């Protein structure tokens, strides 16, 4: 599944969207945006580990799908590992 979240959501609206879908992340702030989406620093509310949430604007774009497939496989220091993939449509 892909994370499908409307672009330009503020942190409070994003947090409400995650809560309503029972996703255990607390959004702290935006880290920036790229061509495929926006990235937020989050805290896993079960483990209290810092995590990153990448919200994709164009999840069906071929390059984006390729990035997801590669990140599912790659386990290298300095490259974020995919822990979960959610599909949320507002």
């Amino acid at each position: 599944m892909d994370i499908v979240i409307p672009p330009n959501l503020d942190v409070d609206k994003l947090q409400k969207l995650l809560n309503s879908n029972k996703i255990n992340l607390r959004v702290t702030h935006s880290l920036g945006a790229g061509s495929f989406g926006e990235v937020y620093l989050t805290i896993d509310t079960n483990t209290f580990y810092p995590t990153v949430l990448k919200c994709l604007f164009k999840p069906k774009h071929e390059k984006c799908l390729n990035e997801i497939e590669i990140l599912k496989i790659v386990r290298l220091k300095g490259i974020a590992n995919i822990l979960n993939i959610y599909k949320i449509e507002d």
Side-chain angles (χ1 to χ4, degrees), residues 2 19 41 54 89:
D2 307 321
N19 291 347
L41 180 62
K54 185 171 187 177
E89 296 188 43

Side-chain angles (χ1 to χ4, degrees), residues 21-83:
N21 285 276
K22 298 182 173 109
I23 296 173
N24 298 319
L25 296 175
R26 182 175 51 85
V27 181
T28 62
H29 64 277
S30 173
L31 294 173
S35 58
F36 294 128
E38 190 155 358
V39 178
Y40 297 88
L41 180 62
T42 61
I43 304 294
D44 183 313
T45 58
N46 292 325
T47 64
F48 300 102
Y49 287 127
T51 58
V52 175
L53 174 66
K54 185 171 187 177
C55 301
L56 304 174
F57 302 148
K58 303 173 187 174
K60 301 212 187 275
H61 190 282
E62 185 177 344
K63 287 183 181 179
C64 184
L65 294 174
N66 288 341
E67 179 180 329
I68 291 168
E69 291 306 313
I70 290 168
L71 289 174
K72 283 181 184 177
I73 298 167
V74 172
R75 297 287 185 250
L76 297 173
K77 188 174 181 174
I79 296 179
N81 296 326
I82 291 182
L83 301 177

